[in-house]
Amino acid sequence: MAEKISSSSSSLPKPKVIDSHLHVWASPEEAADKYPYFPGQEPTLPGNVDFLLKCMGEAGVDGALIVQPINHKFDHSLVTSVLKKYPSKFVGCCLANPAEDGSGINQLEDLVLKDGYRAVRFNPYLWPSGHRMTNEVGKALFSKAGELGVPVGFMCMKGLNLHISEIEELCSDFPSTVVLLDHFAFCKPPINNEEKEAFSALLKLSRFPQVYVKFSALFRISRKPFPYEDTCQLLSQVVSSFGANRVMWGSDFPYVVPECGYKEAKEAVSLIASQVPLPSSDLEWIMGRTVMQLIFQGS
């Protein structure tokens, strides 16, 4: 009997580890040949797919959500080629084009329906000067994402406080559009009132059931070197507010490679989770189940 139990338990599928946030871009050779960089956005790091696959293999990461990089701006052809070549490993997050003529709405529809993208990124710093993400085009893009069933990722690089009112308005007006907050909405372990307010605002977004948090790019959030242990309390509070099934790990490859290494970016989460401490079931949600259920279903 003991033998039967052990053999059946060992045959249980191992939970998949999925990276919810990384980038790929053309190698210099590919850029010269077929996939040019956007002028002025030439990368300073290698970020080609062969390098990514090597890093993922070494780290034991099974799949990833590729976020369209600024290096190719609105030209998605490089990322699309990677998605088509590795359909069982990668899904794509396209970049919303908030052009005032509204052309980005049809672009979003094409990228989702024709090229199979599963999410879209809102970068507020690409909106025309003086415009907010809640302008007419922004609302149309956000509404369209909900219609298409693709989550919207927000990149609040200059601080959540700058964008919280826009995010709240969009969530209230369009409750069927799922939201991803990239990199913990750039909330650091708070050391002053402004940072405490930002982190409190992040936790309060849990009142919208469609909002999910990426525990990603820890090197951007932490004030400490690897393994970024000052993020323990942040993770504990976010899991308490949102639940682990609304939190997902992401590396921010390739930017993470010179910071701590790709494998280490994955390992940091287990180290942090053990400090919190989180049960192994919560860690499984964060390391893959959340993003699998939300974005990879049907891929």
Side-chain angles (χ1 to χ4, degrees):
M1 181 65 78
E3 276 182 30
K4 274 190 178 173
I5 291 168
S6 65
S7 65
S8 64
S9 62
S10 66
S11 65
L12 285 171
K14 198 166 154 244
K16 283 196 169 180
V17 176
I18 306 290
D19 189 336
S20 75
H21 197 107
L22 52 73
H23 307 279
V24 292
W25 48 72
S27 67
E29 296 76 22
E30 289 172 318
D33 179 43
K34 197 171 180 185
Y35 303 110
Y37 305 127
F38 190 80
Q41 296 287 358
E42 296 79 6
T44 56
L45 293 168
N48 59 78
V49 71
D50 291 338
F51 180 37
L52 170 61
L53 290 167
K54 178 174 174 284
C55 290
M56 287 173 68
E58 289 168 357
V61 173
D62 300 295
L65 175 65
I66 300 176
V67 179
Q68 170 72 6
I70 198 67
N71 314 84
H72 294 288
K73 208 163 182 187
F74 302 122
D75 176 1
H76 288 71
S77 53
L78 180 275
V79 171
T80 302
S81 73
V82 172
L83 300 178
K84 291 202 162 113
K85 191 171 180 183
Y86 302 100
S88 62
K89 193 170 276 285
F90 299 123
V91 295
C93 173
C94 60
L95 180 62
N97 181 352
E100 288 182 77
D101 63 4
S103 57
I105 298 153
N106 285 336
Q107 287 170 20
L108 171 60
E109 200 158 20
D110 282 351
L111 286 162
V112 172
L113 298 179
K114 293 181 182 172
D115 295 322
Y117 282 78
R118 297 293 187 85
V120 56
R121 180 177 231 195
F122 274 33
N123 177 343
Y125 317 113
L126 294 176
W127 256 251
S129 179
H131 285 260
R132 289 158 63 87
M133 292 186 288
T134 45
N135 69 357
E136 191 182 345
V137 167
K139 286 191 169 182
L141 283 165
F142 194 82
S143 173
K144 177 59 72 176
E147 277 175 43
L148 295 167
V150 295
V152 172
F154 285 106
M155 185 182 77
C156 305
M157 190 173 257
K158 295 179 184 175
L160 179 60
N161 283 344
L162 286 178
H163 308 293
I164 185 69
S165 63
E166 296 161 84
I167 293 169
E168 288 175 334
E169 184 179 334
L170 291 168
C171 286
S172 297
D173 289 355
F174 306 99
S176 63
T177 302
V178 171
V179 164
L180 312 175
L181 298 169
D182 295 348
H183 313 331
F184 247 48
F186 289 83
C187 289
K188 289 179 175 282
I191 55 173
N192 58 43
N193 284 338
E194 190 183 345
E195 290 176 352
K196 281 176 187 162
E197 280 172 22
F199 188 58
S200 175
L202 168 61
L203 295 178
K204 283 177 187 163
L205 285 172
S206 64
R207 72 188 187 276
F208 296 106
Q210 77 263 43
V211 176
Y212 292 69
V213 179
K214 288 188 182 182
F215 188 52
S216 52
L218 301 190
F219 64 93
R220 297 188 190 276
I221 304 163
S222 176
R223 301 180 195 281
K224 294 189 172 179
F226 173 87
Y228 313 118
E229 286 180 3
D230 60 341
T231 63
C232 287
Q233 199 54 37
L234 300 186
L235 181 61
S236 174
Q237 289 179 262
V238 162
V239 169
S240 292
S241 295
F242 286 84
N245 62 335
R246 287 164 66 191
V247 181
M248 58 189 86
W249 165 71
S251 67
D252 205 18
F253 172 94
Y255 301 108
V256 74
V257 175
E259 295 288 339
C260 70
Y262 185 80
K263 187 164 177 271
E264 290 75 11
K266 176 200 166 193
E267 288 167 353
V269 188
S270 300
L271 295 168
I272 292 161
S274 69
Q275 299 283 316
V276 172
L278 288 180
S280 59
S281 57
D282 279 6
L283 188 58
E284 281 179 18
W285 278 105
I286 292 165
M287 295 308 293
R289 286 184 70 187
T290 301
V291 69
M292 281 286 289
Q293 196 169 87
L294 189 65
I295 294 173
F296 274 70
Q297 295 295 12
S299 68

